[in-house]
Each structure stands twice: as C-alpha cells, then as structure tokens.
Amino acid sequence: MGKNEIIDPVTQFAESSSLKDSGQCLFVRQACERHLRDLNRGEFEWNLNEALMALEFCKMLKHYKGPSAGDSFKPEPWQEFIIGSIFGWRKKDGSRRFRIGYIEVPRKNGKTFMAASIALKALFADGESGAEVYSVAPKLMQSKIVWEDAKTMISQCPPLNRRSKRYISSIVVPSTSSKFLPLAKDTKTLDGLNPSFAISDEVHAWRGNELFHQMNDAMGARRQPFNLLITTAGWNKTGICWKLREHLLAVLKGDKKRIYIDDEMFGIVFSLDKGDDFRNPAVWKKANPNLGVSKSEEYMTKMVKMAQQIPSEEYTVKNKQFNLWTVSDKRWLDMKRWDKCNGEIDEARLLGQVCHLGIDLSTVQDLTAVVAVFPPGPYDEFVFYPRLYLPKERLDYAERMDRVPYKHWEKEGFLQTTPGDVIDIEYIKQDVIDLNSKFRVSSVGYDPWKAIEMATSLSAEGLDMVEMRQGHATLGAPTVALEALVLKKQIRHGNHPVLRWMAENTKVIRNSNNDIRPTKYDSRSRIDGIVATIMALGRYQAHDTSNSQSPSVHIIEI
C-alpha cells in the first residue's frame, strides 16, 4: 500500500470478516459478502469520502460513562462498517442509498452510544436543511435513552455545543433550523412530522407495527430519509421486529437470480451460529463484537454461570447476551431440587399458624386448586399445603384424557372430589372456611375472572380476599420467588404427587420486559396447584402486618 493511499476501513472489515475462518457468525459474513458483491454491481456508488467523513465526525464525540469517560469515540471495526455503510453507499444522484437499517446486537456492546453518534451526524452534518431527527420508542422513557446520550455528548464537544441549543426535550441547531427530539407512540404527536432521520430503539419490544409504519410514512417528503432500527433479540416472532429481521436475512443471503433483493435496506445481525455452545468462550465474540472493549469476559462468565445454575435464566442469557430468539421449550423448575424438598408435614404443627391462600378456580369441570403457604416458623422452610379438587363423576373421564392416576390420588388423599359432575363451589367455599378455622389465614389471593361471587361470600365470612389478575405484573415476582425457593431447597411440600406433577407441567412465558408468569406445557398439562401456590406466595410478599383486621376485598393493579 502506497504512502498516500487512503484506507477503506469498511471494505477492509468486509474482506476480512467474509472469510469462513474469520470467527464471525454467518449473518455477519453474509452482510460483508453483500458489501463486496455490491462494489462490483455498478448500480450504486461506494463513496469512500462520505464514509470517512461520517467516521471522522463520530470521532469528535467523547464517552461520558464508565472507564472510557472523557476519551474520544474510536469506532471498532464492526462499528466502522455500520457507520460507513449507512453514509457511504450512494445512489447515482448522490443521495443515500439506504432508507432503513436493522442492527441487532446484544446488550452492553455500545449500540446506544453508536446510535446517538449516528443521530448527531444526521442532525449536524447531513447536508439537510431543516433536518428532523427523532429517537423513537413506544414509551417516552425508552425513546429518551438515545436522545439523552446525544444531549450529553454535545455538551462535551465544543464545536457542536456552540452550534446548538439544548432544552428539556429538544436539541435545536438554529443555523440550519434542525432539531432532534425523543418521540413516543402517540398518534396525535406523529401527525405533521417530517422526519429526515430516526433511531428506532429496542424494536423487539414494540407491540404492533403502527409506530414503524407511521414513522416511515412520515418520511415520504424527504430526499434521503433513514430509519435506523437498533435492538437486541426478542421473544415475539409475530411482531414487526422479527418480520424485519427475517426480511433482512433473506436479503443478506443473496440470490444468484436476484429474485429476492431490497437495495434500500441495510443491516447486520451479531449472533451465534447453529450448533454453537453458548458456554464455550471461544464463540462469545461472534455475538458480542465489543467483547473486551465495552463488555468484559468476566461479565460474560458471570452471565453464563448464572444460566447454568438457574434453568429459567438460560433463555434470558441466550436471548440478551447471545442474540438468540429463544422461547422456552423446557420445564421451568429444577425437579431434582424439588424432589429434595419432600420433608414430611405434620398438620398438627400447622394448627393455628399464619398462612396465605391462593385459589385457582377452574371452569365447571376442571381441576380447582386451593393452596396454603406457611412462612418459616412451624418448619424452617416454606410449607405448601395443597387442596386439589375434581368433580367425582368426572374422575374416569379426566383420568383417560389427562393420563394420570386421579382415582389413586383420590384414594391416597392427595385429591379431593366434589359431588356431581361439575365443580361444587359451595363445597370448596366451605373447605376454605374450614381451613381458616384450623389455621390463621392472613389473606387469600384469587383470580377475579372466575371467583368474584366466591370472593364476596368468603369476605363476608371474615376472610381478606385480594384480586390477583393472571398477568406478568401480578404473578411475575412470586413466580421468580418460587423458583428461587426451589433452588435453595427452602420449601417443604410433603412429597405431594399431584403438586409435583403440576410443577413438572409448568413452564414460564416472558413479556418484553422479561417478566415471567406460569403457563402449562401442553394441552394435557394441569398447573392449577402451582398457580395457586404462586398466588399465595404473592400474598405473602405483599403482606403488611399493619393491615386492618377487618375483612375486605383489595385489588392488586396490573
């Protein structure tokens, strides 16, 4: 290479990372192969000068958090590839080639700082008079993350500081009539916008596709608009994020016949390859391009160790640290540890002791569960005392359908039957009243969808009835608590076979905030006893000894 020859860091990265032995994942190699293919197509111009100017702009900015605070931003090769590609590829008329970008990279790899840097380039140095740049997310708090990073970065860069004015919720560049604002999902505020550039944050958590389409539609009047979607992997394979990801991967894969192509979409996905073992440190950098820079190997070791020790955390770690779109297909609780919590329960030791109840009332012919949870006191552990009910005349049918020995369980006293062929609510209500006479029932959690009438009646009997809707917000914390208690072997269930069967049937589902709640493994599974246990634990967690002793019905808001 000659002394005055200009280095092209974008193409350099593409050339080195497209090789099979580069250590990059398949999706990164395909993104690089696409760049190299397009250099030879001739339909678009690779403007190295524009790419380098964008990188030089970003290098003016400084970190303000952590060990790198005060240091100038020095984009890593993978970041140079992204920034350079966005600003370097041009149409024949000189405008930007790409209109949408999709960047999927795990947490703590510097994607937010990079996105803020790109947004500032679009605000200050994109050749756009009256530029409108937005940081977009469904909730304002999320949309402000990139925007606030950018605001702080301006304050540490004198040239940009002099040119701009920063307000509580906007950054303005008076000389070009340009502005940068955080924007949340609000149809009214989206009306009349004319965005030139958008950063759409954590798209995996977006519900529906309205916000994505509203933003893209609003860009129609601009000459070279760009919507950059940055995200970690998610769980929802029906949402807009997964659809865009699948579209991008089809584009990156390429097609010799050029049947499937989208010349206006740029993107790259950092993940593990099929067959990679996430526990192997040798593959960690595939998914984490900033490993050893903004993300330490020590941190990764800690995350992987946690995944190995806590079964339900494996899916979170794979998802957020390795960018795998995981859905739990395994049972939730560690049944080996559950089985070690099988100490006998002497009911006499529980008489007169404080407990909390959970009631999972079924439809007319299915299992109903009432579970009392006793805090440590009678025993060193939490005691689970279940009462599980089926209609007597449905036993044969239920046994055939569910393929479990209900009649044997009834004979052994582990299953209660109510008269007739439908659940007898009065029978169960009286059973709860009897439990309250034997134990000191502090509160009762119930699902209002099925049990309002029973709750009203039991409240009149002096029981403190508390609505517990079956969502993530209500069941999340006690679900986590149950898992922790099992792992620490801090429960005592008396080797109850029906409750064990239900525990084995239970898996968890997660929302976009990574909260969990129980769900059954398949259509034959029954988990009513575990749901009732979780509700009782939730009441224990929420219990306040200063509550009035008078009976009442409370509502736990979602």
Side-chain angles (χ1 to χ4, degrees):
M1 184 178 291
K3 265 187 178 181
N4 298 320
E5 189 172 348
I6 299 175
I7 297 173
D8 180 350
V10 180
T11 302
Q12 262 190 355
F13 178 83
E15 288 174 340
S16 63
S17 297
S18 61
L19 302 175
K20 284 188 177 181
D21 62 354
S22 64
Q24 302 286 4
C25 75
L26 174 63
F27 304 143
V28 172
R29 297 201 309 271
Q30 289 177 338
C32 293
E33 289 167 359
R34 181 195 190 195
H35 176 86
L36 299 176
R37 285 197 307 270
D38 288 352
L39 288 175
N40 299 316
R41 279 176 55 191
E43 296 177 40
F44 300 97
E45 176 189 350
W46 171 239
N47 191 320
L48 177 58
N49 188 51
E50 290 286 355
L52 292 176
M53 284 195 298
L55 290 170
E56 286 304 310
F57 176 91
C58 292
K59 290 175 184 177
M60 289 197 308
L61 305 170
K62 291 185 177 181
H63 294 280
Y64 70 93
K65 293 179 182 177
S68 299
D71 294 344
S72 296
F73 177 34
K74 296 178 181 178
E76 294 296 309
W78 69 278
Q79 294 171 319
E80 290 180 321
F81 178 75
I82 291 170
I83 297 168
S85 294
I86 291 170
F87 292 100
W89 278 107
R90 298 279 159 167
K91 294 183 177 181
K92 295 295 186 182
D93 64 2
S95 64
R96 272 196 304 270
R97 165 191 173 178
F98 295 118
R99 297 292 185 258
I100 184 170
Y102 181 93
I103 313 300
E104 189 180 291
V105 65
R107 288 176 176 170
K108 298 186 181 293
N109 277 282
K111 69 177 179 296
T112 301
F113 188 93
M114 178 181 67
S117 303
I118 292 171
L120 290 178
K121 165 69 169 74
L123 177 67
F124 285 97
D126 207 27
E128 188 89 32
S129 183
E132 291 185 22
V133 181
Y134 295 96
S135 175
V136 186
K139 295 183 179 180
L140 187 61
M141 184 177 295
Q142 181 69 42
S143 71
K144 278 189 170 183
I145 292 175
V146 170
W147 181 82
E148 287 179 343
D149 262 17
K151 185 178 180 182
T152 305
M153 290 154 67
I154 289 173
S155 69
Q156 296 190 350
C157 181
L160 302 186
N161 197 19
R162 287 193 295 269
R163 290 182 56 194
S164 63
K165 295 183 181 295
R166 301 184 308 283
Y167 302 102
I168 293 175
S169 58
S170 66
I171 301 168
V172 176
V173 183
S175 62
T176 59
S177 301
S178 299
K179 59 184 179 181
F180 182 15
L181 294 85
L183 185 68
K185 184 179 180 181
D186 185 330
T187 304
K188 292 181 180 178
T189 60
L190 288 173
D191 291 340
L193 298 181
N194 186 20
S196 56
F197 208 101
I199 305 291
S200 297
D201 197 13
E202 293 297 2
V203 186
H204 75 89
W206 291 20
R207 295 183 179 180
N209 56 15
E210 297 86 0
L211 185 57
F212 171 76
H213 289 304
Q214 285 173 324
M215 183 54 57
N216 277 7
D217 291 345
M219 291 178 162
R222 293 287 184 171
R223 177 170 174 257
Q224 54 174 13
F226 190 78
N227 188 356
L228 177 61
L229 297 90
I230 60 170
T231 190
T232 56
W235 310 90
N236 180 13
K237 291 189 177 182
T238 62
I240 186 64
C241 189
W242 177 258
K243 291 176 183 177
L244 290 169
R245 182 187 198 268
E246 290 292 278
H247 175 68
L248 170 68
L249 295 183
V251 171
L252 296 185
K253 185 177 180 181
D255 189 328
K256 290 181 180 178
K257 296 181 180 179
R258 291 175 53 74
I259 295 172
Y260 195 99
I261 197 164
D262 184 344
D263 283 325
E264 293 193 339
M265 185 176 195
F266 169 78
I268 192 166
V269 173
F270 293 89
S271 184
L272 297 184
D273 287 317
K274 187 176 181 179
D276 284 343
D277 184 350
F278 79 101
R279 295 168 296 183
N280 181 5
V283 302
W284 292 353
K285 198 169 178 65
K286 282 186 181 182
N288 294 278
N290 252 30
L291 188 65
V293 182
S294 63
K295 191 171 191 175
S296 70
E297 291 192 12
E298 180 182 5
Y299 171 82
M300 288 298 297
T301 301
K302 178 182 176 182
M303 291 294 102
V304 170
K305 185 176 181 181
M306 180 175 69
Q308 292 175 284
Q309 293 178 339
I310 305 176
S312 66
E313 287 302 313
E314 178 178 332
Y315 303 99
T316 305
V317 170
K318 286 182 176 179
N319 184 250
K320 298 306 176 188
Q321 307 302 332
F322 295 101
N323 245 23
L324 298 173
W325 286 69
T326 51
V327 177
S328 171
D329 60 356
K330 294 183 180 179
R331 271 67 172 181
W332 164 49
L333 293 171
D334 184 332
M335 296 310 296
K336 289 183 180 179
R337 300 199 188 197
W338 174 278
D339 290 340
K340 291 179 180 178
C341 300
N342 63 350
E344 291 184 3
I345 298 171
D346 181 0
E347 187 175 309
R349 291 179 64 172
L350 303 179
L351 297 178
Q353 299 296 317
V354 171
C355 66
H356 298 268
L357 299 189
I359 299 178
D360 188 28
L361 192 64
S362 70
T363 54
V364 292
Q365 294 180 322
D366 287 335
L367 268 161
T368 284
V370 176
V371 177
V373 169
F374 293 81
Y379 291 92
D380 292 337
E381 312 90 347
F382 283 80
V383 173
F384 296 169
Y385 184 93
R387 300 278 291 172
L388 306 166
Y389 310 86
L390 267 177
K392 179 71 173 179
E393 294 180 17
R394 294 279 294 179
L395 273 187
D396 286 333
Y397 177 80
E399 193 166 274
R400 288 197 307 272
M401 294 303 295
D402 296 347
R403 299 178 183 177
V404 291
Y406 284 131
K407 288 186 288 186
H408 174 72
W409 287 338
E410 181 202 19
K411 182 180 178 180
E412 294 295 317
F414 296 114
L415 180 71
Q416 287 68 50
T417 54
T418 66
D421 63 353
V422 297
I423 281 292
D424 188 330
I425 301 301
E426 287 299 316
Y427 182 98
I428 296 171
K429 185 181 78 173
Q430 185 58 51
D431 213 10
V432 172
I433 294 171
D434 291 343
L435 290 175
N436 190 38
S437 67
K438 289 197 296 185
F439 313 130
R440 291 168 55 199
V441 177
S442 180
S443 66
V444 183
Y446 69 96
D447 179 2
W449 183 60
K450 301 171 185 172
I452 285 288
E453 187 176 342
M454 177 188 279
T456 302
S457 179
L458 289 173
S459 181
E461 294 288 338
L463 286 155
D464 188 20
M465 305 299 294
V466 184
E467 286 191 9
M468 295 186 70
R469 303 180 190 275
Q470 305 296 284
H472 287 90
T474 303
L475 298 186
T479 302
V480 171
L482 175 56
E483 181 179 24
L485 289 173
V486 171
L487 289 171
K488 295 176 181 178
K489 294 182 283 189
Q490 291 180 349
I491 66 168
R492 178 179 288 249
H493 50 64
N495 202 24
H496 196 290
V498 190
L499 195 62
R500 187 199 187 281
W501 172 61
M502 292 178 173
E504 196 171 31
N505 286 340
T506 307
K507 65 177 184 177
V508 292
I509 55 176
R510 300 174 186 271
N511 63 8
S512 59
N513 294 322
N514 213 32
D515 301 317
I516 63 175
R517 67 174 177 83
T519 189
K520 60 185 183 179
Y521 189 74
D522 56 33
S523 60
R524 281 198 177 95
S525 300
R526 299 288 177 262
I527 64 169
D528 314 78
I530 294 300
V531 172
T533 301
I534 288 169
M535 293 168 74
L537 280 172
R539 290 308 312 139
Y540 167 76
Q541 289 178 318
H543 182 60
D544 182 350
T545 55
S546 66
N547 279 346
S548 168
Q549 295 300 308
S550 59
S552 57
V553 177
H554 305 294
I555 297 177
I556 296 178
E557 298 292 344
I558 293 180

